[in-house]
Amino acid sequence: MTVPSSVRRGATLSAAVLVGTLLPVLALPAAQADPGCTSEAAPPGELPVPLPLPSPLGPGDRCDDSEAPVTSSVTAAPAANAAGFIAQDSVTFTFTGAHTDADADPIAFECQFFNTPEPPADDEWTPCASPQTYTDLEDTRRQLGGVETPYTFRVRAYDAADRGIDATSPTNLLLGTGGAETDLPDTDQTPEQTSFKVDTQRPVASIFNTPFDRETPERPMITTDSPTLRINGNEPALVFDCDIDGREVPCRDDNVTFADLGPGTQTLSVSVTDRAGNTSAEPATTSFTVPEDLVAPGRRWKTRASRQAFGGDYLEASAYKTKITVAGVDVREVRLLANTGPKSGKLKYKTPGGAWRKVKLGGKTTKRGQVVIVRNEQSAPFTGKIAFRVMSRGKPVQLDAIMLR
């Protein structure tokens, strides 16, 4: 059958009309980044009814959401102390994010947590959610060069709906149109972060140069009222807390002189606290007995200055039957600090109700500040005054200090 040319021309015209009708719709405006854009998803198609033919028309133009969400400040529990430490092996971080515009897309987060000198690569982020907890943390240790590498936590918010969309991708695949000109980041470019160090170990205090006593090793007597002891701890930058029988005394990681101690048995206790706030589980202790400095009871005893003497001086008497007494309660042991040797005079002592007994001050060589045992710890106890009496003429008796225990 032959189709009239007029009919063929009408069919051609109808197609042209149809194309002409479509052209204004296809002439889409150039896509732009839009500061007011809150979603990069393309809007739906613009024709009210479906075309009978496959349509080159797709969704409308995309826009580029140029405002990424921001990440709030991070809160850690426990919080690091002033030295930047926590004293436990787990930590929990809380954080939030917010849009700075009217965007209603959901916000998600990515985190980095590391304990290395170099941070992870920028593509090494892990999905996370608040609160985020990390456990079984190892203590940070000093590395070569004395540097401690802290733990660092980073978190950044991102637009969970927009980040998976390339805003520049076309929405009309046939014509390659409908995409935005830009695709700015949908992730916060300024992550929040916090750093801290971990120390869960209790420090240990030590006391060196502790007094030694051959006669009573567990209850040593010292021969000075200002002993010097070496105080030490097993960690750097420790704070030392020392007391003697509950009385606070200053001390440090060094040789420490505890000056002008009173007479009697006393206990030094040393505790240490590290930078994380951990305190030693048990204090280091040492006990010792300090003698009592003797004071001249009258003119027959002369006070002689000496740097080597207990308290800086000692007593001297050479007149026959010159006496000195010292009171005590429930006393067993009695020791004197005295100068001994071949030129020393004779001395005797007597406890309440007892007889006069000899004190050994002699010797082949002259020695200063010697410990002279008058009575030992197995002796019967007494309460009252113990008396000492010079029993020679012309030879000096030199007494420095006395211990009653």
Side-chain angles (χ1 to χ4, degrees):
M1 176 179 177
T2 301
V3 178
S5 58
S6 61
V7 174
R8 289 199 300 271
R9 283 195 301 271
T12 302
L13 180 61
S14 298
V17 171
L18 175 60
V19 172
T21 305
L22 294 174
L23 284 178
V25 179
L26 293 174
L28 302 175
Q32 301 289 332
D34 184 359
C37 176
T38 59
S39 176
E40 295 178 358
E46 300 178 359
L47 291 180
V49 294
L51 294 174
L53 300 175
S55 173
L57 291 178
D61 292 345
R62 298 184 192 276
C63 65
D64 182 16
D65 183 356
S66 59
E67 298 295 330
V70 296
T71 315
S72 72
S73 58
V74 178
T75 300
N81 65 11
F85 280 85
I86 65 172
Q88 66 182 52
D89 66 352
S90 64
V91 62
T92 298
F93 299 99
T94 55
F95 43 87
T96 59
H99 288 289
T100 59
D101 53 16
D103 198 337
D105 286 342
I107 296 174
F109 298 92
E110 295 175 318
C111 297
Q112 289 181 332
F113 188 63
F114 55 95
N115 176 223
T116 54
E118 296 297 327
D122 193 57
D123 60 353
E124 296 179 2
W125 289 84
T126 302
C128 59
S130 180
Q132 183 72 25
T133 299
Y134 298 92
T135 60
D136 299 324
L137 304 180
E138 294 184 357
D139 284 11
T140 50
R141 301 294 184 186
R142 286 188 179 272
Q143 301 175 356
L144 189 63
V147 177
E148 286 178 312
T149 302
Y151 287 92
T152 298
F153 174 75
R154 291 177 177 173
V155 59
R156 64 184 186 182
Y158 66 90
D159 188 320
D162 286 353
R163 197 169 73 163
I165 298 173
D166 179 0
T168 64
S169 63
T171 59
N172 189 310
L173 299 179
L174 185 61
L175 299 181
T177 59
E181 291 185 347
T182 60
D183 185 23
L184 297 175
D186 299 307
T187 301
D188 187 357
Q189 298 300 292
T190 56
E192 290 291 331
Q193 76 174 47
T194 185
S195 297
F196 60 92
K197 299 173 186 178
V198 175
D199 185 353
T200 62
Q201 302 298 313
R202 288 181 177 270
V204 178
S206 301
I207 304 173
F208 299 96
N209 302 337
T210 54
F212 173 75
D213 189 329
R214 188 183 302 275
E215 295 297 326
T216 53
E218 296 180 356
R219 303 173 67 199
M221 185 193 89
I222 60 178
T223 58
T224 175
D225 62 353
S226 300
T228 297
L229 303 176
R230 171 67 180 172
I231 308 300
N232 186 249
N234 68 332
E235 293 185 22
L238 292 171
V239 175
F240 288 78
D241 181 15
C242 300
D243 71 72
I244 295 180
D245 286 350
R247 175 175 59 89
E248 185 177 349
V249 291
C251 65
R252 61 192 183 282
D253 185 0
D254 202 348
N255 290 318
V256 179
T257 298
F258 300 94
D260 302 323
L261 300 181
T265 299
Q266 305 179 50
T267 298
L268 169 66
S269 297
V270 180
S271 296
V272 286
T273 302
D274 64 21
R275 295 166 295 171
N278 300 303
T279 300
S280 45
E282 295 290 339
T285 63
T286 185
S287 296
F288 47 81
T289 301
V290 182
E292 179 181 352
D293 197 14
L294 289 172
V295 179
R299 290 180 298 174
R300 301 185 73 180
W301 287 97
K302 306 299 182 183
T303 301
R304 307 295 189 191
S306 172
R307 292 182 179 178
Q308 299 176 346
F310 185 96
D313 57 40
Y314 62 90
L315 301 184
E316 180 180 277
S318 55
Y320 183 65
K321 289 191 177 181
T322 299
K323 191 169 68 171
I324 186 172
T325 60
V326 181
V329 176
D330 198 23
V331 176
R332 291 180 181 271
E333 285 185 89
V334 178
R335 300 185 194 182
L336 289 172
L337 285 180
N339 297 336
T340 62
K343 296 183 180 181
S344 295
K346 295 180 181 180
L347 184 69
K348 287 188 176 182
Y349 78 93
K350 185 172 75 74
T351 57
W356 287 100
R357 297 178 181 275
K358 184 179 179 180
V359 178
K360 297 179 180 180
L361 297 180
K364 294 181 179 181
T365 59
T366 299
K367 296 180 180 179
R368 295 187 175 276
Q370 293 300 293
V371 178
V372 178
I373 297 177
V374 178
R375 303 174 91 242
N376 61 32
E377 60 183 349
Q378 284 78 40
S379 301
F382 73 86
T383 295
K385 293 182 178 180
I386 182 171
F388 295 90
R389 189 165 67 181
V390 177
M391 299 303 294
S392 59
R393 293 179 174 87
K395 287 188 175 183
V397 170
Q398 298 173 333
L399 305 181
D400 197 350
I402 187 170
M403 183 203 77
L404 302 180
R405 185 166 64 185

